[in-house]
Amino acid sequence: MRKTVFIWNENYLDYSFPGDHPFKSLRESMAKKLMEERGFFHEIDLENAEPVTESLLEKIHDKEYIEFVKKKSLEGKGYLDDGDTPAFKGIYEAAILRVGGSVKALEMIEKGYDVAINLGGGFHHAKKSSASGFCVFNDVALIAKLAEKKYKIAIVDIDGHHGDGTQQLLFDDNRVLKASLHMFHRNFFPGTGNYDEIGEGKGKGFTINVPLPPGTADDAYISAFKEVIVRKLEKFKPELIIIVEGGDSHFDDPLVELKLSTKGYSEVINEILSIAKRFSSKIILLGGGGYNYEATARIWTITTAQLAGLDMSEVDLLHDCCFTSSTNFVKEKVNEVIKKLKEIHGLLD
C-alpha cells in the first residue's frame, strides 16, 4: 500500500463542452463510480478540490489572457481558440477548479502522501496566452513550476496527443524533464512533438518526444517506453513524477489511431512505479484526453489501483482481453524512432 489521496469536487462535472463536442466530464464520474463500487475509498483518502487563485495562474499565463477567458465565460459564446475550445457560461470557474485540483494534489504530496490523483487535470495543450485542444489553463506546467524548487520533476505524458503547451511553457527548464509519447504526423493535432524537439537554452536535452506512427500497439509502445523513457528517467533520477494519462492512446479511441490496451497502459505504469521505487519518487497522476469514455474510465480505475497498491483482483474484469500487436511495418518505424532518440539523448548502450 502507498499512502494515496484522490482529489475530487462534484463541480468538476461543469467542465464539459456542449453539443456533440468530444470532451465530456462523464469520463471522470464513470471512473469514480467504478472505484466506489470496488471499495477504493476505504483505502484511499478523498480530498476536496478548490479553485486555483488568479495569482498562481499568472505564474504561467498572461494576465490579459486570463481576463479574456473571464470575459468569454460571462458571454458564454464563441471560442477561446481557433475552434476546438468553445466558450460556455462558467467555463472560467470550471477551469480554475480543475487546475486547483492539481495544485491540491501537489499540496497533499508535500504533506506526506506518496501518490496524489487528480483525474480532473491534465490540460497539457493550454499555452501562455491561449487555449488549445479543449484546454483552458495548463495545470501540468503550473504544478511543475510550483514544485521545482523542492523536487527534481519528470513529466511523463502518455496522452495520445503531444503535450505541446506543457513543452512550450517549460522548454528552457532544466529542473523538469518533459517526456511525451504520442501519435505523430504533420496533419495530426497539434502537429508538434517530433524527436528533434529537445528543449532550448539550459533546458536543452530536458525535453524528449517519442513520435509514434498510427497503429502503434502495446508491443512497440512498451518497447519505446523501456528503451527511451525508462533510460532517460534512470539518468535523471526524478524525485516527483507527474503522469498525464490520457485515455486516448487506447485502441477504441475515436480521435487517435494508437492501439494501446488496458494491459499496455498497466505495463507502462508498472515501469513508472519501478522507477519511483528505485529513486523514492512521489507520484501525481493527472487525467487528460480520452474520448471513448468507458475505456478511459477503466484505464484510470486500473491505474489508480496500481499506484495505490490495492488488490489488483478487484480490477481484473476491467481489463481488455489481451495485449495488442503492431504490424511489422509499424514496428520498423518505431524502431527507427528509438534509434534516433538514443543517438540524440545519449542513450546508446
Side-chain angles (χ1 to χ4, degrees), residues 6-74:
F6 187 91
I7 313 299
W8 185 255
N9 189 305
E10 288 300 325
N11 291 329
Y12 272 3
L13 305 185
D14 295 340
Y15 195 103
S16 195
F17 294 97
D20 59 358
H21 194 284
F23 192 107
K24 304 292 185 190
S25 59
L26 183 62
R27 313 163 318 152
E28 291 91 336
S29 56
M30 287 172 70
K32 186 166 181 281
K33 186 170 187 292
L34 288 175
M35 295 177 199
E36 288 168 343
E37 290 170 349
R38 286 155 180 80
F40 279 25
F41 300 112
H42 298 301
E43 308 289 346
I44 296 174
D45 293 337
L46 274 168
E47 185 73 22
N48 194 55
E50 299 165 357
V52 70
T53 64
E54 194 167 326
S55 61
L56 282 185
L57 273 186
E58 288 177 9
K59 289 186 177 295
I60 58 165
H61 291 292
D62 287 335
K63 186 173 180 62
E64 293 78 9
Y65 170 60
I66 297 169
E67 292 302 319
F68 168 74
V69 176
K70 285 184 183 177
K71 176 173 174 287
K72 298 302 287 184
S73 181
L74 287 170

Side-chain angles (χ1 to χ4, degrees), residues 172 196 262 337:
D172 62 351
D196 56 354
T262 59
V337 170

Side-chain angles (χ1 to χ4, degrees), residues 106-310:
L106 176 59
E107 290 174 1
M108 302 312 289
I109 289 292
E110 292 175 339
K111 287 181 178 179
Y113 281 89
D114 302 310
V115 177
I117 296 168
N118 182 37
L119 299 181
F123 296 100
H124 63 170
H125 295 306
K127 300 178 177 65
K128 186 176 179 65
S129 57
S130 66
S132 179
F134 321 153
C135 304
V136 180
F137 300 122
N138 195 312
D139 58 309
V140 189
L142 176 59
I143 63 170
K145 275 293 181 189
L146 293 176
E148 67 179 0
K149 291 178 183 176
K150 185 172 182 179
Y151 303 100
K152 282 184 73 179
I153 301 161
I155 298 170
V156 180
D157 190 332
I158 56 173
D159 190 280
H161 298 87
H162 177 231
D164 58 329
T166 304
Q167 174 175 294
Q168 183 192 86
L169 287 161
L170 301 171
F171 208 46
D172 62 351
D173 196 323
N174 64 351
R175 290 284 298 171
V176 183
L177 177 68
K178 288 76 65 182
S180 179
L181 297 87
H182 45 267
M183 193 172 98
F184 176 84
H185 57 77
R186 291 296 182 189
N187 295 319
F188 179 69
F189 181 85
T192 56
N194 209 352
Y195 57 83
D196 56 354
E197 297 169 30
I198 63 169
E200 65 184 8
K202 65 183 181 181
K204 190 173 183 180
F206 290 88
T207 293
I208 182 162
N209 286 299
V210 184
L212 300 168
T216 301
D218 290 337
D219 49 5
Y221 192 104
I222 293 165
S223 176
F225 194 84
K226 289 180 176 179
E227 290 291 313
V228 178
I229 303 304
V230 168
R231 292 189 183 199
K232 192 76 171 178
L233 290 171
E234 286 172 342
K235 290 181 71 173
F236 185 72
K237 302 178 176 60
E239 297 163 341
L240 172 63
I241 300 172
I242 300 171
I243 306 169
V244 181
E245 189 180 39
D248 48 2
S249 295
H250 189 266
F251 63 77
D252 262 345
D253 193 85
L255 299 190
V256 183
E257 298 170 73
L258 296 177
K259 302 297 178 187
L260 272 193
S261 71
T262 59
K263 292 178 181 288
Y265 272 99
S266 285
E267 185 68 24
V268 168
I269 296 301
N270 279 334
E271 291 292 333
I272 294 172
L273 279 170
S274 178
I275 291 289
K277 183 177 181 180
R278 184 170 168 185
F279 298 111
S280 302
S281 316
K282 306 275 191 174
I283 295 176
I284 293 176
L285 175 70
L286 306 177
Y291 309 100
N292 180 310
Y293 311 138
E294 182 268 342
T296 301
R298 287 190 290 117
I299 291 162
W300 288 345
T301 303
I302 294 165
T303 296
T304 297
Q306 283 180 272
L307 294 180
L310 303 183

Side-chain angles (χ1 to χ4, degrees), residues 314-325:
E314 292 292 331
V315 296
D316 280 348
L317 293 177
L318 297 179
H319 268 300
D320 299 317
C321 71
C322 328
F323 282 97
T324 56
S325 297

Side-chain angles (χ1 to χ4, degrees), residues 325-342:
S325 297
S326 310
T327 65
N328 287 334
F329 174 79
V330 167
K331 287 179 185 176
E332 289 173 9
K333 290 290 183 185
V334 173
N335 284 335
E336 289 173 11
V337 170
I338 292 171
K339 184 179 178 182
K340 287 174 182 174
L341 285 168
K342 283 184 171 182

